[in-house]
């Protein structure tokens, strides 16, 4: 644990919550995907959210359940509530940077470019800074200033409302910032139920396999060294403090990992200490079979060399193989899985402005 990053989380809540509702078809903001993403990056020791909470009564209860400290910024006559929240948040972050040397990472949840000087100052103080913002309401100046920036819309567990129309192409951002096509709408799929054990009829090992593969992929992507069984267990406990392998019928966590290794969900190797094996995702086997499945479905749908749109493709793949899940292979989204297949030369993938979607074709 001593080698883990200690994280301080600061939420400019009005910017984040209103941005999510305005740019995601009125969908309510959910804090849990942010908490899960940070659990893969370290130990969150400070959680603070700033707002006039009389405007966010339901959100206040959600955050309190997630142990977030609520900092009240009341609206005053002749004063700007937003500026008061921004200043208070910046002052608290700098104060914490000087008083808590053990905090190595600061997470600034806001898309407001006003926080760019704060990010620069924290990095001057040798702190790693992660930004989090809603894609449609994030200034183009903020992401390049951070060590890492997470778009809320793309986090695992954030669903696009089914009734919402297709998103328009993004407008041109500030010069020097890469412009990306929008992520396509995700097909709905069963999510991992993370309710406490007393509130659910039973535990699903298949759902656990998805969660473990997703966590290993996230830990590998964070580039903080090898993924050991002990590190993976700590991550799972951060995502669900009630997690216990005994709920799934296993006596030890090692027994659970061996079971998943036999199903080719993960691979186990010799770790730095006895009884603490290294955990990784399979590089071949099921992944190559899944690539072949994708190529076959695209070839059937696009007979005659016609391109196939990414939207709806996952449903077609599941018709061919009902148990398909890209998360079991370590991919956070179906788009990421298709990009990996394109990189491997299995098919071609390109963004089409005319179709407002990604198009796939089999290579000739």
């Amino acid at each position: 644990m001593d080698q883990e990053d200690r994280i301080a989380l600061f939420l400019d809540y009005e910017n984040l919550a209103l941005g999510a509702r305005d740019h995601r078809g009125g969908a309510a903001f959910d804090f849990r995907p942010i908490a899960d993403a940070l659990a893969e990056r370290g130990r969150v020791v400070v959680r603070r959210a700033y707002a006039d909470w009389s405007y966010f009564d339901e959100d206040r209860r959600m955050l309190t359940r997630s142990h977030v400290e609520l900092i009240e910024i009341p609206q005053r006559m002749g004063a700007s509530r937003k500026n008061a929240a921004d200043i208070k948040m910046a002052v608290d972050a700098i104060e914490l940077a000087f008083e808590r040397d053990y905090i190595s990472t600061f997470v600034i949840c806001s898309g407001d470019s006003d926080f760019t000087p704060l990010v620069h100052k924290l990095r001057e103080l040798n702190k790693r800074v992660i930004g989090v913002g809603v894609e449609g309401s994030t200034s183009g100046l903020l992401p390049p200033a951070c060590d890492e920036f997470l778009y809320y819309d793309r986090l695992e567990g954030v669903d696009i409302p089914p009734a919402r129309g297709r998103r328009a192409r993004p407008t041109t951002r500030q010069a020097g910032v890469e412009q990306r096509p929008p992520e396509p709408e995700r097909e709905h799929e069963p999510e991992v139920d993370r309710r406490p054990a007393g509130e659910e009829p039973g535990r699903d090992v298949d759902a656990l396999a998805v969660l473990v593969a997703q966590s290993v992929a996230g830990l590998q992507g964070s580039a903080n060294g090898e993924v050991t069984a002990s590190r993976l267990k700590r991550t799972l406990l951060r995502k669900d403090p009630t997690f216990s392998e005994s709920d799934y019928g296993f006596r030890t966590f090692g027994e659970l990992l061996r079971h998943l290794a036999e199903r080719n969900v993960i691979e186990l190797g010799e770790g730095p200490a006895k009884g603490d094996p290294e955990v990784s995702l399979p590089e071949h086997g099921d992944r190559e079979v899944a690539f072949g499945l994708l190529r076959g479905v695209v070839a059937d749908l696009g007979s005659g060399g016609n391109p196939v749109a990414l939207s709806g493709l996952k449903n077609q793949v599941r018709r061919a193989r009902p148990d398909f899940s890209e998360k079991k292979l370590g991919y956070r989204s179906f788009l990421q899985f298709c990009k990996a297949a394109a990189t491997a030369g299995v098919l071609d993938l390109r963004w089409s402005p005319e179709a407002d979607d990604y198009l796939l074709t089999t290579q000739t």
Side-chain angles (χ1 to χ4, degrees):
M1 182 178 292
D2 290 339
Q3 296 180 350
E4 290 184 312
D5 284 341
R6 265 69 166 187
I7 298 175
L9 171 64
F10 293 84
L11 295 101
D12 176 11
Y13 197 77
E14 183 171 347
N15 177 278
L16 205 61
L18 296 184
R21 293 170 187 176
D22 292 344
H23 295 273
R24 301 191 62 254
F29 171 77
D30 185 7
F31 174 72
R32 189 57 189 260
I34 295 178
D36 284 352
L38 297 182
E40 296 170 352
R41 289 161 172 80
R43 181 177 171 219
V44 181
V45 296
V46 175
R47 300 182 182 189
R48 296 178 184 174
Y50 298 75
D52 184 340
W53 296 108
S54 63
Y55 291 85
F56 302 100
D57 190 53
E58 292 296 326
D59 306 60
R60 177 168 52 190
R61 286 190 280 270
M62 171 194 67
L63 293 170
T64 301
R65 287 193 295 267
S66 297
H67 309 286
V68 177
E69 180 184 1
L70 307 182
I71 308 300
E72 179 72 35
I73 308 294
Q75 185 174 11
R76 297 181 176 89
M77 292 298 295
S80 170
R81 183 177 72 254
K82 177 185 179 303
N83 288 342
D86 291 357
I87 294 171
K88 173 64 173 170
M89 183 168 146
V91 169
D92 285 358
I94 292 297
E95 181 181 38
L96 208 63
F98 281 103
E99 291 186 349
R100 304 288 187 269
D101 291 339
Y102 56 82
I103 295 180
S104 58
T105 301
F106 284 74
V107 180
I108 307 299
C109 292
S110 177
D112 194 340
S113 62
D114 290 348
F115 286 105
T116 304
L118 171 62
V119 172
H120 289 317
K121 181 57 66 177
L122 289 171
R123 296 186 69 182
E124 284 181 22
L125 296 173
N126 197 29
K127 305 298 184 181
R128 184 168 183 261
V129 181
I130 300 174
V132 182
V134 178
E135 189 167 6
S137 63
T138 295
S139 167
L141 298 175
L142 188 60
C146 301
D147 293 293
E148 182 181 6
F149 196 91
L150 307 175
Y151 284 110
Y152 171 78
D153 319 59
R154 304 180 187 179
L155 293 179
E156 185 64 34
V158 178
D159 293 324
I160 295 178
R164 200 191 73 163
R166 185 174 296 279
R167 185 166 47 193
R169 294 187 65 195
T171 57
T172 304
R173 294 183 177 177
Q174 299 286 340
V177 180
E178 181 183 357
Q179 181 178 349
R180 298 180 180 179
E183 295 276 355
E185 294 185 2
R186 299 177 184 174
E187 295 82 21
H188 289 284
E189 60 182 77
E191 292 188 83
V192 179
D193 193 346
R194 301 191 182 101
R195 293 176 296 175
E199 298 180 6
E200 61 183 5
R203 299 276 184 163
D204 184 359
V205 177
D206 288 335
L208 176 63
V210 173
L211 178 61
V212 169
Q214 170 193 327
S215 299
V216 173
L219 290 169
Q220 289 179 331
S222 65
N224 288 331
E226 61 189 10
V227 181
T228 61
S230 59
R231 186 181 177 193
L232 175 60
K233 176 71 175 287
R234 289 195 297 269
T235 299
L236 294 176
L237 284 171
R238 291 193 193 104
K239 292 186 174 184
D240 180 5
T242 68
F243 169 80
S244 174
E245 57 273 5
S246 62
D247 291 336
Y248 298 88
F250 300 97
R251 294 171 296 177
T252 65
F253 189 63
E255 183 179 330
L256 167 62
L257 293 181
R258 289 191 293 273
H259 172 76
L260 296 179
E262 290 173 358
R263 295 178 56 184
N264 206 32
V265 175
I266 58 173
E267 289 182 349
L268 298 178
E270 185 176 352
K274 185 177 180 180
D276 193 15
E278 182 178 354
V279 185
S280 60
L281 296 174
E283 295 296 333
H284 302 289
D286 281 358
R287 195 169 303 194
E288 293 182 347
V289 172
F291 285 166
L293 171 67
L294 176 64
R295 189 183 192 284
V297 171
V298 172
D300 290 341
L301 295 175
S303 56
N306 295 321
V308 177
L310 182 66
S311 299
L313 180 58
K314 184 173 180 178
N315 292 333
Q316 298 297 327
V317 172
R318 280 186 164 170
R319 287 193 179 96
R321 183 175 167 181
D323 64 341
F324 170 81
S325 173
E326 72 280 356
K327 294 178 178 61
K328 289 184 179 180
L329 302 172
Y331 298 103
R332 289 183 172 271
S333 66
F334 187 64
L335 172 60
Q336 187 184 40
F337 168 71
C338 292
K339 286 181 176 180
T343 301
V346 175
L347 41 73
D348 289 321
L349 175 71
R350 64 180 179 85
W351 171 258
S352 171
E354 294 78 14
D356 194 26
D357 201 350
Y358 285 93
L359 299 181
L360 298 89
T361 54
T362 55
Q363 294 183 347
T364 56

